[in-house]
Structure formats: C-alpha cells, structure tokens
Amino acid sequence: MRILMPIDGSTHSKAALDFVASRSTLIESQPDIELLNVQYPVPSRAARYAGKELVLSHHQAEAAKIVKPALARLKRAGLLARAESVVGSPGVEVGRIAAEDAADLVVMGSHGHTGLKNLLFGSVTQSVLASCQTPVLVLRSETPLNKASLKIGIALDGSKYGLAAVRFVVKHRVLFGPTPTLTLIHVVPDLLNLRVAGLFADAPVPGFKPEQVVEMQRAAFEKAFMPARKLLKAAALQVTEAQLTGNDTGAVIASYATKNKLDVLAIGSHGQGGFTSTLLGSVATRVTAKCRNALLFIQGK
C-alpha cells in the first residue's frame, strides 16, 4: 500500500502519524510511506532581497524541523518511510505528488471546524480535497485513533462512488486492523413525513399508504446493499447493515456515526472542487458539518 502523508508539525499532523504508527497489520505488510512537507513560498520582494541561497537554506531548515521527528516516530513503530519537501501551494502539491506516485491513500490531520461550510476543514485540507482524486483519510481529532481494530461505516447511496468505498476497504483491509467491524449505511426518505417546499411549503406529500412505503423502502435498501454484499462476501468479510430513514440524508448518517462511535466513516463523493458544498457533494458536506468522526473520502470525477 502506498501512503502519502502531508505533515506540518501541528498536533493534528502528529495525531495522523500516530495513527499510521499504531496500525500493526499495516506495519506487517511493510507499506510504502512518503512524508511530504510543503513550504510556502517566500514573498518575491523578500526573496530577491535575501537571495536564492538564503531562501533555499531557510526552506530546508524549516522542513527538517518537521520531517526528522516524523521519520523517527515511524521508525520507532517499525515503519520505514521516505520524505520529500517542496515549495508551493500545499493542496496543489499533495494532489500532484499523489497522482505522480500513484498513491493509494492520502492520510492527513485536520482541525475540522463544524458549522460554517467554509470552516468544515482547514484551508489546506479543503485544498487537498479539491485537487486530489486519490482517496483521502482525514483525521479530525488531536487524540490518536490507535485502536487495534476499527469500527468502519460505509455510506452507500446506490452510486458507483459508494461502491468504490467498499472496494477500497476490501482491498486495503490491513489499514483497519485484524478484525475490523464493518457497517453498510443507507438512508431512504421518510415518505410518510416527506414535505415539499415552494408554493405549498410544508405540505405533506400525499398518496402513500404505510404498507406501500415499507415495500418501497425494502426495495431501495436491497438495491443499495446488494452489490456491496457480493463484494464483501467474495472477500469473506462479515458486515452489518444500517437501514436508516430520514429526509436529511447527511444529518441522519452523521447522527448514526456519532451515536455508534464509528472510528472511520467512508463516503464516496463526486468531488467537483471549488466551494465546500460542491467540493464534497451535499450529503458529504452535511456529514462533515454534523460529526467529528474520521472521514475517508473516495472521490471521483
């Protein structure tokens, strides 16, 4: 497994290092780990005044302060890693190097504010998600996630992106411990309480009997879960299924993740880039705003 880890020396970055260092099953497989430190460019006027050699020396010294302890942390855990430092925009450079190195996963920490859309993640994390098509695991707590086996939730919406999240977990199961707990999550509308906006704002949608709703929901659950079941059965992985109902899909998924103390929530996202609401898609944005769980984004065009 090829892992790219952007590091900046922050407590959240150190928590991401501790997470990787705690994965015993991952360590046994000897993954290919690259640490990446991105230094911001010195303003052009200051660079001209200082000269190229002094600017280069400054960047090298600042990068060494971050890279050396990070390499030592992984080495103590039995993980050999290589490191690179570059100058530029962190999000752009992470996306570029992840693509060039054919990384399987980007692992990074983020302070992860909630509430306002433009503060869902730190600016660097948002930039990485906007520029990177590689799966990204965002650890949102300063407390290391170092349990041997993790509780993983995989949100399914019937699209290829949700199924891609299942494939990732199957292929890279060593990341999640010797006996991870997997839960497939799908949310269907509560048709008996669905209300429409517009001219008849807050008016209920008529015409569904309870037994009809039950049958429609059953069919929707089967359609969402069936392809994932086949993949997981072929991989000999046991899972549970969370059949949830509600008219705010993101909020329902976030509530389930929080209540059931999921360690990682995997979400397939179309990943358009730009503003957060389009960067992740509306459901992923709502999940991000409503919970503090670690999030694994499987993105696509």
Side-chain angles (χ1 to χ4, degrees), residues 49-121:
Y49 178 81
K52 290 183 179 179
E53 290 187 4
L54 185 58
V55 170
L56 176 61
S57 177
H58 165 75
H59 282 142
Q60 290 176 337
E62 291 301 308
K65 292 177 185 178
I66 297 169
V67 167
K68 287 183 178 180
L71 288 171
R73 173 68 185 94
L74 295 179
K75 186 176 181 179
R76 289 195 299 272
L79 286 166
L80 296 179
R82 51 198 169 90
E84 181 178 0
S85 61
V86 298
V87 177
S89 169
V92 172
E93 292 302 319
V94 171
R96 177 182 67 81
I97 293 174
E100 289 179 357
D101 294 354
D104 296 303
L105 178 67
V106 174
V107 178
M108 62 189 302
S110 176
H111 56 68
H113 296 300
T114 58
L116 297 177
K117 288 183 178 180
N118 64 335
L119 294 178
L120 292 177
F121 293 122

Side-chain angles (χ1 to χ4, degrees), residues 18-275:
D18 287 340
F19 167 75
V20 172
S22 73
R23 313 316 304 149
S24 59
T25 48
L26 180 66
I27 293 170
E28 291 170 2
S29 69
Q30 285 299 304
D32 179 3
I33 299 175
E34 179 176 6
L35 304 182
L36 175 64
N37 176 249
V38 182
Q39 294 285 315
Y40 287 100
V42 173
S44 57
R45 180 176 295 181
R48 287 195 301 269
Y49 178 81
K52 290 183 179 179
E53 290 187 4
L54 185 58
V55 170
L56 176 61
S57 177
H58 165 75
H59 282 142
Q60 290 176 337
E62 291 301 308
K65 292 177 185 178
I66 297 169
V67 167
K68 287 183 178 180
L71 288 171
R73 173 68 185 94
L74 295 179
K75 186 176 181 179
R76 289 195 299 272
L79 286 166
L80 296 179
R82 51 198 169 90
E84 181 178 0
S85 61
V86 298
V87 177
S89 169
V92 172
E93 292 302 319
V94 171
R96 177 182 67 81
I97 293 174
E100 289 179 357
D101 294 354
D104 296 303
L105 178 67
V106 174
V107 178
M108 62 189 302
S110 176
H111 56 68
H113 296 300
T114 58
L116 297 177
K117 288 183 178 180
N118 64 335
L119 294 178
L120 292 177
F121 293 122
S123 59
V124 172
T125 305
Q126 291 194 162
S127 180
V128 169
L129 290 169
S131 62
C132 186
Q133 291 297 309
T134 302
V136 179
L137 174 61
V138 181
L139 301 166
R140 308 175 72 195
S141 172
E142 296 180 7
T143 303
L145 181 59
N146 56 11
K147 294 166 57 178
S149 295
L150 303 181
K151 294 177 66 176
I152 312 299
I154 307 175
L156 300 177
D157 61 359
S159 74
K160 63 181 181 181
Y161 304 116
L163 204 56
V166 177
R167 290 194 182 95
F168 181 92
V169 172
V170 169
K171 182 177 180 180
H172 301 293
R173 67 179 75 181
V174 293
L175 180 67
F176 306 108
T179 56
T181 301
L182 303 181
T183 302
L184 301 179
I185 303 168
H186 182 63
V187 182
V188 298
D190 181 1
L191 295 177
L192 293 177
N193 293 293
L194 184 64
R195 310 182 82 83
V196 295
L199 181 62
F200 302 102
D202 296 324
V205 176
F208 294 115
K209 297 179 180 179
E211 57 271 22
Q212 291 176 311
V213 170
V214 170
E215 178 57 28
M216 292 168 69
Q217 290 175 339
R218 185 200 65 77
F221 285 130
E222 285 299 308
K223 183 178 180 179
F225 287 136
M226 185 59 71
R229 286 178 190 149
K230 292 179 180 179
L231 287 173
L232 293 165
K233 183 178 180 180
L237 289 172
Q238 298 296 317
V239 300
T240 57
E241 296 176 358
Q243 302 183 4
L244 309 178
T245 303
N247 297 322
D248 185 340
T249 301
V252 172
I253 293 173
S255 177
Y256 180 89
T258 301
K259 182 178 180 180
N260 290 274
K261 298 180 179 180
L262 297 181
D263 296 307
V264 178
L265 178 61
I267 305 174
S269 177
H270 51 69
Q272 294 178 359
F275 295 107

